[in-house]
Amino acid sequence: MKKDYRICTRCIADTTIPGITFDENGICNYCKIHDKMEKDYPEGKEARKKLEELVRKIKASGKGKRYDCVVGVSGGRDSTYLLYTAVKLGLRPLAVHFDNGWNSEIAVTNVKNILSKLNIDLETLVVDWYEFKDLQRSFLFASVSDAEIPTDVGIFGTLHKIAAQEGIKYILNGHSFRTEGIMPISWTYMDGRYISSVQKKFGTMKLKTFPNFSFWDLFYYVFIKKIKSVPLLNYVEYKHSQVEKILEKEAGWTYYGGHHHESYYTNFFQSYFLPKKFNIDKRKIEYSAKIRSGQMERPLALKEIQAIPYPYEKELVNYTISKLGFSQRQFDQIMKAKVKTFHDYPSYYPIVKVLKPVLKLAVKYNLIPRLLYQKFFT
Ligand SMILES: [Zn+2]
């Protein structure tokens, strides 16, 4: 362990996260963000009041239409629970699935089961595999820890595109700061320009069908189409252990053994690529969130993180290498290549920094979520 290693006294975030800071009591900046978010999304009576108001607005926006909101589904726990919650609240969601070619069989079955149990319509966007594969390869060549953002941005772009097409004003997102935590910008940064610039540098083809998300898209969807993205799970009680039981019983859902492991690529990415190449263990973020929200004991989290390296399956690694068309030698070179960050490639980040005062105001007036702002400026 390095000499200047430090770990938060409240959660388990530590100095493997570049840019982490600690106060005089040894509490990290991510714990501070959590406390601020607790104020934005309080629990109990106040949460119920806020939720009722939100549901009323969503229903009103969908009057006379077939759907009143869009929900992205992956077969994972968060999105399945989000869909389940939306229906229980009396909303009429359209489910949207971004099929990037890496679905596990469990994921596909999970999606099918929940849709038929709750009688929900689905729209699926199947990526052009050759183009998407080329983009995934480009991000691995770029040697950055953001190599899973083609999927994240693709989902974001698809949800907005379909919401606009269907005249739907609300997109529900399944992020919960109490269970999922706050991802450090030094571990994951994403924007549409970053995607284009990495593809331009390392790709062998132009992105023609990939649903990228540029500043112009943001402007169009938010200010012209007036589409809002709402973190619904932040308003409801969300405890993994309870939720899993409910979903198994009510939605024919099966667990797949790891956070976001419903996708073969995400599983490879989190269990092998990030820990081996970047010394990034995303469990630290999830466990820290659960410690802060009273769902996990700190000693247990510490024990698991320190004693057990992120478990991975060799077979899955081989499958990923071959599906992406790499030779073993090429892949070894990728794993050994010097680590880079998003600062090494053109992105919107310099503009975002200049816009800091404007964004601060936007948070104050609830135009953008605090989480987004905190991610950039802490
Ligand atoms: Zn902390």
Side-chain angles (χ1 to χ4, degrees), residues 8 10-13 27-28 30-31 292:
C8 176
R10 179 174 161 200
C11 71
I12 60 164
I27 292 175
C28 78
Y30 297 98
C31 280
R292 293 179 204 119

Side-chain angles (χ1 to χ4, degrees), residues 78-79 82 172-176 179-180 230-233 238:
D78 299 341
S79 66
L82 178 63
L172 308 185
N173 78 59
H175 184 270
S176 158
T179 56
E180 207 167 0
V230 180
L232 192 80
L233 294 185
Y238 187 29

Side-chain angles (χ1 to χ4, degrees), residues 152-358:
D152 295 328
V153 173
I155 292 172
F156 202 69
T158 303
L159 293 176
H160 281 84
K161 200 171 147 187
I162 291 180
Q165 272 168 10
E166 298 283 338
I168 302 168
K169 299 297 177 200
Y170 284 88
I171 295 173
L172 308 185
N173 78 59
H175 184 270
S176 158
F177 74 97
R178 289 191 178 92
T179 56
E180 207 167 0
I182 302 132
M183 198 53 68
I185 194 171
S186 55
W187 280 9
T188 310
Y189 173 81
M190 64 178 91
D191 77 39
R193 188 172 180 229
Y194 183 26
I195 297 239
S196 310
S197 65
V198 165
Q199 178 63 8
K200 201 172 169 193
K201 183 152 185 186
F202 298 100
T204 64
M205 58 179 84
K206 268 197 169 160
L207 296 179
K208 284 189 187 141
T209 59
F210 176 73
N212 205 358
F213 204 84
S214 67
F215 250 174
W216 294 116
D217 292 318
L218 181 74
F219 181 80
Y220 174 71
Y221 290 125
V222 174
F223 294 104
I224 309 284
K225 287 288 175 181
K226 299 201 168 19
I227 295 170
K228 288 189 180 69
S229 187
V230 180
L232 192 80
L233 294 185
N234 283 344
Y235 295 94
V236 298
E237 202 186 341
Y238 187 29
K239 296 209 158 57
H240 278 171
S241 49
Q242 291 170 6
V243 161
E244 280 165 15
K245 275 188 208 121
I246 294 174
L247 294 182
E248 278 164 16
K249 202 168 143 233
E250 310 256 336
W253 182 83
T254 311
Y255 190 45
Y256 32 78
H259 193 48
H260 288 315
H261 288 188
E262 68 269 24
S263 150
Y264 287 132
Y265 187 75
T266 311
N267 188 347
F268 152 81
F269 182 72
Q270 292 191 171
S271 67
Y272 188 84
F273 186 68
L274 287 181
K276 298 270 180 225
K277 184 171 163 83
F278 300 91
N279 191 24
I280 289 177
D281 186 338
K282 282 198 173 178
R283 293 177 306 177
K284 280 178 195 168
I285 306 302
E286 190 196 336
Y287 291 179
S288 290
K290 285 182 172 173
I291 293 168
R292 293 179 204 119
S293 58
Q295 298 184 58
M296 194 173 194
E297 298 286 337
R298 188 170 179 272
L300 175 73
L302 273 176
K303 203 174 133 195
E304 254 191 60
I305 291 281
Q306 285 167 356
I308 313 161
Y310 210 126
Y312 72 92
E313 296 158 33
K314 185 81 188 88
E315 220 172 87
L316 178 68
V317 178
N318 292 338
Y319 170 78
T320 307
I321 296 171
S322 104
K323 186 168 163 120
L324 288 176
F326 290 122
S327 67
Q328 187 62 49
R329 212 176 127 245
Q330 256 180 328
F331 184 70
D332 291 343
Q333 277 168 352
I334 285 171
M335 291 304 287
K336 271 188 253 154
K338 191 172 168 266
V339 167
K340 298 205 166 174
T341 74
F342 69 91
H343 296 292
D344 293 306
Y345 303 100
S347 73
Y348 290 132
Y349 190 64
I351 306 175
V352 172
K353 269 173 78 180
V354 171
L355 290 177
K356 185 175 174 180
V358 181

Side-chain angles (χ1 to χ4, degrees), residues 9 16 78 93 102 123 138 144 161 186 225 251 321 370:
T9 49
T16 59
D78 299 341
W102 292 94
E123 268 202 45
S138 299
V144 290
K161 200 171 147 187
S186 55
K225 287 288 175 181
I321 296 171
R370 179 185 299 278

